[in-house]
Amino acid sequence: MFNPQRVGTQRFSKLLAFSLILPGSAFAVESTTPVAPHSYVQITGPEESVAIPPVSDREAPVSTGTVDWSSLNNQSVLSTRTLCADAVSKVCFKPQIEQAYAENKFYPIWHDKALRDEFELQLKAVADTKMLPGLAQRISEMDRLENEHNDQAYDLLATDTYYVYRAFQNYIATHRNVLFLSKPLRMSKVMTDYASGVDAYPMTLAKLEALRPGYIAFKPTMDAVAKYQNLPAHTLKASDFTRVYRKGDTLPHGHELVKVLYTLGDMDQANYDHLSHQAKITNTGAVFESLKTFQKRHGLSSDGIVGPATVQQLVMPYTEIARRLALNTLRVATLNKHSEDRPHIWVNIPNYKLEVYDKGNVVFESKVIVGRDSRPTNLFSSAITTMVVNPYWNVPITIKQHDVIPKVKRNIGYLKQHNMQILNSWRDRTVINPTSINWSTVNPKTFPHEFQQGPGPRNSLGRVKFLMPNDYAIFLHDTPARGLFSKTKRDLSSGCVRVERAYDLANYVIDYQNRGNIPAFNKMLNAEKQKTVSLSKRIDVDFVYLTAWVDQNGKVQMREDIYGYDSPSANKIKNKFITMKDFVKN
């Protein structure tokens, strides 16, 4: 345990009993008088933490001092080579450390146990992502120094680690795309520059807690990470399951499967004990029900059938569950902090859900359909600025080339059936008669004209769309294909997000405007003419990618990594989809 009561013995008063500003302390030595740095005395008192007077109330050093590094210099600190290869000492941020202790009048910075516990918990959240090589080793070195009661060396190394932590934090805050590439980062000179302006003085618990990720239960999440990291590995493999296993089927490696369900909390102790003595495991009774619980917790179709999607989640190593929880905690930490004064929208792509938050509570939610893996929905932040009722649909070039033109070539009546017209161009919207075109000679890739679908119940955008500034032509909209919302896996669109409860969202947006000059939504809808409503009170929208979290009931929720952002894959991820760009500033 860290013991802040071990201090230099020379010339201390009651006020300075816990100060490290004296000649001969491990933090400061007088520049004129060299003294032995390790003359200590044990001060009796409580073990956990000691009240140290605020810096403004402390006596100044008896003379100009400098930090004494001898307590750390004789220690093995191998993590520095990995964390900051350019470092020429045992720490990464020596000048910043010396400045911090000078400003703190050479008192210890990490004297309080609650402060240390919070710091190490936040460090662990980063280390568990495996994104910052060397950090796990640094935490182990800090633990060793604490257990050895080498308080001065611990304090120095913890302060250096704080600058490492803040440099990493500041880097990912402006390079959020790295959280979706699944590649470790090296603390290069470029990254260490992100610690400039960071001040470790004064270090308070409130200051450190402010660095916690918002929107999630951080401590329960880290408890879950620790639990999964410490579990013995299971032996289930995807190759163990050679087909789909329905209700009543005998399950291969059934006892190990049951053990996984029990370990993950999807089967209770009594059923596990009973099944452990069975000769074979069939997909019936408690097993069948536990599989449905597992599937629901993973956002899968809760049917008890063991197919490829269920197998993919069942065989995931416990350590990988821990890594994904930690990784998603970092993703949450980099999301925009929204004002409590107005609502904001989260669209969590792998969860296929839109949620409206107001004062920290979910006040509206809806199923959504997101982009398929070949046309992912971009990750970015913006705000709804315009709502269009009974919209026209300008057919995108890919759909024009691959869908509309081939169908018109086969049947010119397709245009009338789908309420479409041909425009000369997007600039010149002169309507062209489709019979004036020789469709047999049309090449979809070189066709110079554009297609537009009129308002109505068969419009591909449905009856309402919500527009927001962005570079990707992404927006929220209704859809006439209502049956698609019954699917569990809903990555089906070309990038835009279809909202099941689009009408309810429209009414929510109108109510939030609180303006008498906006007609009722149903009145605009029934007019069957396009109506554009400019919103004076914006609603922020974040398109996020979260695949693992702990819910309000303490249950770990997992979702399929539909775009492959959680783990390295053979397919190179296109940066344009993960820019995390913010198109609206507060």
Side-chain angles (χ1 to χ4, degrees), residues 499-518:
V499 183
E500 183 182 39
R501 296 179 58 198
Y503 288 13
D504 293 332
L505 181 59
N507 280 311
Y508 180 89
V509 169
I510 291 172
D511 290 345
Y512 178 63
Q513 300 308 300
N514 194 24
R515 283 165 42 197
N517 62 341
I518 300 179

Side-chain angles (χ1 to χ4, degrees), residues 25 29 37 107 136 155 172 193 201 216 227 234 265 272 275 298 324 330 332 363 371 373 401 432 441 452 478 546 565:
S25 82
V29 293
Y107 279 79
D155 215 87
I172 64 172
D193 287 343
Y201 159 81
I216 64 167
K227 169 189 170 182
H234 65 72
Y272 173 66
L275 289 163
H298 286 74
R324 294 194 186 197
L330 275 194
V332 171
V363 296
D373 59 0
Q401 293 177 353
I432 295 175
T441 64
Q452 185 181 68
D478 183 29
L546 302 175
Y565 294 165

Side-chain angles (χ1 to χ4, degrees), residues 278-344:
Q278 301 298 309
K280 65 177 181 178
I281 303 296
T282 58
N283 192 7
T284 55
V287 177
F288 184 73
E289 293 304 320
S290 295
L291 280 167
K292 291 201 293 184
T293 300
F294 173 88
Q295 289 168 329
K296 185 176 181 180
R297 195 170 54 78
H298 286 74
L300 302 170
S301 180
S302 184
D303 55 15
I305 298 172
V306 182
T310 298
V311 168
Q312 182 183 25
Q313 300 296 329
L314 276 171
V315 302
M316 186 178 294
Y318 298 136
T319 53
E320 177 63 8
I321 296 174
R323 187 187 71 86
R324 294 194 186 197
L325 280 167
L327 175 63
N328 281 272
T329 298
L330 275 194
R331 288 174 179 169
V332 171
T334 62
L335 294 177
N336 293 335
K337 301 296 188 291
H338 292 281
S339 169
E340 290 291 307
D341 298 333
R342 63 175 183 268
H344 69 273

Side-chain angles (χ1 to χ4, degrees), residues 166-333:
R166 293 301 307 276
F168 175 80
Q169 268 198 332
N170 291 341
Y171 181 82
I172 64 172
T174 53
H175 298 75
R176 292 187 284 183
N177 62 311
V178 301
L179 297 174
F180 305 94
L181 296 172
S182 299
K183 296 178 180 177
L185 299 174
R186 295 291 174 182
M187 186 69 80
S188 62
K189 177 63 168 64
V190 172
M191 195 184 295
T192 56
D193 287 343
Y194 279 80
S196 62
V198 168
D199 195 350
Y201 159 81
M203 179 52 67
T204 64
L205 186 58
K207 178 178 180 179
L208 201 56
E209 286 177 338
L211 302 177
R212 278 188 172 201
Y215 307 120
I216 64 167
F218 179 59
K219 182 62 166 59
T221 300
M222 293 310 299
D223 288 344
V225 170
K227 169 189 170 182
Y228 288 117
Q229 281 184 329
N230 294 325
L231 288 172
H234 65 72
T235 60
L236 282 184
K237 304 185 298 296
S239 58
D240 296 336
F241 302 88
T242 57
R243 60 180 179 85
V244 173
Y245 300 87
R246 303 183 182 278
K247 188 173 184 179
D249 289 347
T250 299
L251 294 167
H253 300 270
H255 289 94
E256 183 69 2
L257 186 151
V258 164
K259 185 178 180 182
V260 168
L261 290 173
Y262 167 69
T263 301
L264 294 177
D266 299 307
M267 178 179 287
D268 63 30
Q269 178 82 49
N271 282 313
Y272 173 66
D273 290 343
H274 173 73
L275 289 163
S276 297
H277 296 93
Q278 301 298 309
K280 65 177 181 178
I281 303 296
T282 58
N283 192 7
T284 55
V287 177
F288 184 73
E289 293 304 320
S290 295
L291 280 167
K292 291 201 293 184
T293 300
F294 173 88
Q295 289 168 329
K296 185 176 181 180
R297 195 170 54 78
H298 286 74
L300 302 170
S301 180
S302 184
D303 55 15
I305 298 172
V306 182
T310 298
V311 168
Q312 182 183 25
Q313 300 296 329
L314 276 171
V315 302
M316 186 178 294
Y318 298 136
T319 53
E320 177 63 8
I321 296 174
R323 187 187 71 86
R324 294 194 186 197
L325 280 167
L327 175 63
N328 281 272
T329 298
L330 275 194
R331 288 174 179 169
V332 171

